[in-house]
mmCIF file of all heavy atoms in Angstrom:
data_model
loop_
_atom_site.group_PDB
_atom_site.id
_atom_site.type_symbol
_atom_site.label_atom_id
_atom_site.label_comp_id
_atom_site.label_asym_id
_atom_site.label_seq_id
_atom_site.Cartn_x
_atom_site.Cartn_y
_atom_site.Cartn_z
ATOM 1 N N ILE A 72 103.064 -47.363 12.157
ATOM 2 C CA ILE A 72 103.454 -46.402 11.116
ATOM 3 C C ILE A 72 102.296 -46.312 10.029
ATOM 4 O O ILE A 72 101.906 -45.228 9.707
ATOM 5 C CB ILE A 72 104.746 -46.884 10.404
ATOM 6 C CG1 ILE A 72 105.932 -46.697 11.390
ATOM 7 C CG2 ILE A 72 105.030 -46.142 9.105
ATOM 8 C CD1 ILE A 72 107.184 -47.475 10.861
ATOM 9 N N ARG A 73 101.710 -47.392 9.644
ATOM 10 C CA ARG A 73 100.581 -47.387 8.699
ATOM 11 C C ARG A 73 99.406 -46.625 9.291
ATOM 12 O O ARG A 73 98.692 -45.867 8.658
ATOM 13 C CB ARG A 73 100.185 -48.679 8.280
ATOM 14 C CG ARG A 73 101.242 -49.379 7.339
ATOM 15 C CD ARG A 73 101.218 -48.707 6.088
ATOM 16 N NE ARG A 73 102.197 -49.269 5.125
ATOM 17 C CZ ARG A 73 102.092 -49.406 3.842
ATOM 18 N NH1 ARG A 73 100.917 -48.931 3.271
ATOM 19 N NH2 ARG A 73 102.944 -49.886 3.086
ATOM 20 N N LYS A 74 99.111 -46.726 10.599
ATOM 21 C CA LYS A 74 98.012 -46.113 11.282
ATOM 22 C C LYS A 74 98.256 -44.508 11.218
ATOM 23 O O LYS A 74 97.367 -43.722 10.980
ATOM 24 C CB LYS A 74 97.826 -46.578 12.704
ATOM 25 C CG LYS A 74 96.842 -45.784 13.521
ATOM 26 C CD LYS A 74 95.446 -46.059 13.136
ATOM 27 C CE LYS A 74 94.539 -45.396 14.094
ATOM 28 N NZ LYS A 74 93.616 -44.445 13.512
ATOM 29 N N LYS A 75 99.498 -44.157 11.596
ATOM 30 C CA LYS A 75 99.846 -42.756 11.539
ATOM 31 C C LYS A 75 99.625 -42.114 10.220
ATOM 32 O O LYS A 75 99.152 -41.060 9.989
ATOM 33 C CB LYS A 75 101.219 -42.480 12.015
ATOM 34 C CG LYS A 75 101.835 -41.069 11.957
ATOM 35 C CD LYS A 75 102.619 -40.725 13.154
ATOM 36 C CE LYS A 75 103.104 -39.274 13.036
ATOM 37 N NZ LYS A 75 102.147 -38.281 13.073
ATOM 38 N N ILE A 76 100.090 -42.856 9.170
ATOM 39 C CA ILE A 76 99.980 -42.419 7.734
ATOM 40 C C ILE A 76 98.476 -42.277 7.428
ATOM 41 O O ILE A 76 98.073 -41.279 6.784
ATOM 42 C CB ILE A 76 100.713 -43.306 6.811
ATOM 43 C CG1 ILE A 76 102.250 -43.104 7.037
ATOM 44 C CG2 ILE A 76 100.364 -43.060 5.371
ATOM 45 C CD1 ILE A 76 103.144 -44.093 6.327
ATOM 46 N N SER A 77 97.694 -43.223 7.832
ATOM 47 C CA SER A 77 96.257 -43.204 7.407
ATOM 48 C C SER A 77 95.604 -41.992 8.078
ATOM 49 O O SER A 77 94.725 -41.360 7.667
ATOM 50 C CB SER A 77 95.511 -44.389 7.727
ATOM 51 O OG SER A 77 95.414 -44.693 9.110
ATOM 52 N N ASP A 78 96.067 -41.685 9.371
ATOM 53 C CA ASP A 78 95.448 -40.489 10.051
ATOM 54 C C ASP A 78 95.946 -39.247 9.290
ATOM 55 O O ASP A 78 95.090 -38.328 9.140
ATOM 56 C CB ASP A 78 95.975 -40.412 11.553
ATOM 57 C CG ASP A 78 95.430 -41.558 12.337
ATOM 58 O OD1 ASP A 78 94.388 -42.114 11.958
ATOM 59 O OD2 ASP A 78 95.910 -41.846 13.425
ATOM 60 N N GLU A 79 97.147 -39.189 8.944
ATOM 61 C CA GLU A 79 97.681 -37.968 8.199
ATOM 62 C C GLU A 79 97.033 -37.819 6.778
ATOM 63 O O GLU A 79 96.760 -36.626 6.437
ATOM 64 C CB GLU A 79 99.217 -38.096 8.011
ATOM 65 C CG GLU A 79 99.973 -38.197 9.278
ATOM 66 C CD GLU A 79 100.739 -36.845 9.519
ATOM 67 O OE1 GLU A 79 101.036 -36.136 8.637
ATOM 68 O OE2 GLU A 79 101.012 -36.673 10.728
ATOM 69 N N TYR A 80 96.799 -38.857 6.136
ATOM 70 C CA TYR A 80 96.265 -38.724 4.751
ATOM 71 C C TYR A 80 94.811 -39.181 4.626
ATOM 72 O O TYR A 80 94.305 -39.407 3.570
ATOM 73 C CB TYR A 80 97.167 -39.621 3.799
ATOM 74 C CG TYR A 80 98.553 -38.941 3.612
ATOM 75 C CD1 TYR A 80 99.549 -39.560 4.328
ATOM 76 C CD2 TYR A 80 98.731 -37.797 2.908
ATOM 77 C CE1 TYR A 80 100.883 -38.937 4.210
ATOM 78 C CE2 TYR A 80 99.976 -37.230 2.745
ATOM 79 C CZ TYR A 80 101.046 -37.785 3.449
ATOM 80 O OH TYR A 80 102.338 -37.276 3.411
ATOM 81 N N GLY A 81 94.162 -39.291 5.704
ATOM 82 C CA GLY A 81 92.692 -39.732 5.708
ATOM 83 C C GLY A 81 91.814 -38.826 4.955
ATOM 84 O O GLY A 81 90.955 -39.314 4.182
ATOM 85 N N ASP A 82 92.060 -37.470 5.023
ATOM 86 C CA ASP A 82 91.239 -36.537 4.165
ATOM 87 C C ASP A 82 91.400 -36.760 2.665
ATOM 88 O O ASP A 82 90.383 -36.710 1.948
ATOM 89 C CB ASP A 82 91.623 -35.062 4.528
ATOM 90 C CG ASP A 82 91.129 -34.710 5.959
ATOM 91 O OD1 ASP A 82 90.268 -35.387 6.561
ATOM 92 O OD2 ASP A 82 91.629 -33.688 6.478
ATOM 93 N N PHE A 83 92.619 -37.072 2.291
ATOM 94 C CA PHE A 83 92.877 -37.430 0.908
ATOM 95 C C PHE A 83 92.141 -38.631 0.489
ATOM 96 O O PHE A 83 91.505 -38.643 -0.665
ATOM 97 C CB PHE A 83 94.377 -37.540 0.597
ATOM 98 C CG PHE A 83 94.775 -37.858 -0.744
ATOM 99 C CD1 PHE A 83 94.922 -36.860 -1.715
ATOM 100 C CD2 PHE A 83 94.947 -39.201 -1.079
ATOM 101 C CE1 PHE A 83 95.240 -37.199 -3.022
ATOM 102 C CE2 PHE A 83 95.239 -39.481 -2.441
ATOM 103 C CZ PHE A 83 95.472 -38.547 -3.413
ATOM 104 N N LEU A 84 92.155 -39.685 1.194
ATOM 105 C CA LEU A 84 91.413 -40.913 0.847
ATOM 106 C C LEU A 84 89.920 -40.673 0.876
ATOM 107 O O LEU A 84 89.272 -41.144 -0.097
ATOM 108 C CB LEU A 84 91.778 -42.075 1.901
ATOM 109 C CG LEU A 84 93.248 -42.502 1.964
ATOM 110 C CD1 LEU A 84 93.451 -43.418 3.135
ATOM 111 C CD2 LEU A 84 93.602 -43.171 0.707
ATOM 112 N N VAL A 85 89.437 -39.913 1.806
ATOM 113 C CA VAL A 85 87.994 -39.571 1.717
ATOM 114 C C VAL A 85 87.618 -38.801 0.524
ATOM 115 O O VAL A 85 86.622 -39.029 -0.203
ATOM 116 C CB VAL A 85 87.617 -38.836 3.058
ATOM 117 C CG1 VAL A 85 86.272 -38.217 2.871
ATOM 118 C CG2 VAL A 85 87.680 -39.760 4.328
ATOM 119 N N ASP A 86 88.445 -37.838 0.131
ATOM 120 C CA ASP A 86 88.158 -37.031 -1.080
ATOM 121 C C ASP A 86 88.175 -37.918 -2.356
ATOM 122 O O ASP A 86 87.365 -37.753 -3.244
ATOM 123 C CB ASP A 86 89.223 -35.909 -1.247
ATOM 124 C CG ASP A 86 89.011 -34.754 -0.236
ATOM 125 O OD1 ASP A 86 87.917 -34.674 0.402
ATOM 126 O OD2 ASP A 86 89.970 -33.966 -0.057
ATOM 127 N N MET A 87 89.157 -38.815 -2.270
ATOM 128 C CA MET A 87 89.153 -39.770 -3.479
ATOM 129 C C MET A 87 87.921 -40.589 -3.576
ATOM 130 O O MET A 87 87.424 -40.704 -4.761
ATOM 131 C CB MET A 87 90.420 -40.666 -3.172
ATOM 132 C CG MET A 87 90.593 -41.689 -4.309
ATOM 133 S SD MET A 87 92.044 -42.828 -3.864
ATOM 134 C CE MET A 87 91.234 -43.758 -2.530
ATOM 135 N N ILE A 88 87.332 -41.081 -2.539
ATOM 136 C CA ILE A 88 86.188 -41.838 -2.626
ATOM 137 C C ILE A 88 84.913 -40.932 -2.948
ATOM 138 O O ILE A 88 84.041 -41.266 -3.730
ATOM 139 C CB ILE A 88 85.915 -42.573 -1.241
ATOM 140 C CG1 ILE A 88 86.967 -43.599 -0.981
ATOM 141 C CG2 ILE A 88 84.512 -43.265 -1.242
ATOM 142 C CD1 ILE A 88 87.159 -44.716 -2.034
ATOM 143 N N GLU A 89 84.846 -39.775 -2.327
ATOM 144 C CA GLU A 89 83.770 -38.823 -2.614
ATOM 145 C C GLU A 89 83.769 -38.485 -4.094
ATOM 146 O O GLU A 89 82.741 -38.425 -4.697
ATOM 147 C CB GLU A 89 83.858 -37.659 -1.732
ATOM 148 C CG GLU A 89 83.459 -37.915 -0.291
ATOM 149 C CD GLU A 89 83.674 -36.762 0.654
ATOM 150 O OE1 GLU A 89 84.356 -35.732 0.308
ATOM 151 O OE2 GLU A 89 83.143 -36.833 1.816
ATOM 152 N N THR A 90 84.935 -38.234 -4.660
ATOM 153 C CA THR A 90 85.026 -37.860 -6.159
ATOM 154 C C THR A 90 84.542 -39.012 -6.914
ATOM 155 O O THR A 90 83.881 -38.911 -7.922
ATOM 156 C CB THR A 90 86.516 -37.487 -6.426
ATOM 157 O OG1 THR A 90 86.857 -36.350 -5.669
ATOM 158 C CG2 THR A 90 86.579 -37.229 -7.932
ATOM 159 N N SER A 91 84.925 -40.258 -6.554
ATOM 160 C CA SER A 91 84.639 -41.482 -7.425
ATOM 161 C C SER A 91 83.114 -41.814 -7.435
ATOM 162 O O SER A 91 82.537 -42.159 -8.432
ATOM 163 C CB SER A 91 85.399 -42.708 -6.822
ATOM 164 O OG SER A 91 86.713 -42.488 -6.985
ATOM 165 N N VAL A 92 82.425 -41.646 -6.219
ATOM 166 C CA VAL A 92 80.966 -42.074 -6.091
ATOM 167 C C VAL A 92 80.036 -40.857 -6.106
ATOM 168 O O VAL A 92 78.836 -41.091 -6.106
ATOM 169 C CB VAL A 92 80.787 -42.994 -4.983
ATOM 170 C CG1 VAL A 92 81.532 -44.227 -5.102
ATOM 171 C CG2 VAL A 92 81.021 -42.346 -3.646
ATOM 172 N N GLY A 93 80.575 -39.644 -5.885
ATOM 173 C CA GLY A 93 79.613 -38.512 -5.815
ATOM 174 C C GLY A 93 78.862 -38.400 -4.594
ATOM 175 O O GLY A 93 77.760 -37.744 -4.615
ATOM 176 N N ARG A 94 79.315 -39.051 -3.499
ATOM 177 C CA ARG A 94 78.467 -38.966 -2.277
ATOM 178 C C ARG A 94 79.543 -38.634 -1.207
ATOM 179 O O ARG A 94 80.732 -38.913 -1.288
ATOM 180 C CB ARG A 94 77.925 -40.381 -1.866
ATOM 181 C CG ARG A 94 77.124 -41.048 -2.895
ATOM 182 C CD ARG A 94 75.730 -40.482 -3.240
ATOM 183 N NE ARG A 94 75.112 -39.716 -2.273
ATOM 184 C CZ ARG A 94 74.499 -38.541 -2.620
ATOM 185 N NH1 ARG A 94 74.549 -38.099 -3.892
ATOM 186 N NH2 ARG A 94 73.780 -37.851 -1.760
#
Side-chain angles (χ1 to χ4, degrees):
I72 292 166
R73 289 290 178 145
K74 172 72 173 124
K75 175 140 179 64
I76 291 169
S77 72
D78 290 346
E79 296 254 335
Y80 294 102
D82 290 343
F83 179 84
L84 296 173
V85 166
D86 288 344
M87 179 183 70
I88 296 301
E89 290 177 344
T90 299
S91 298
V92 297
R94 308 292 335 136

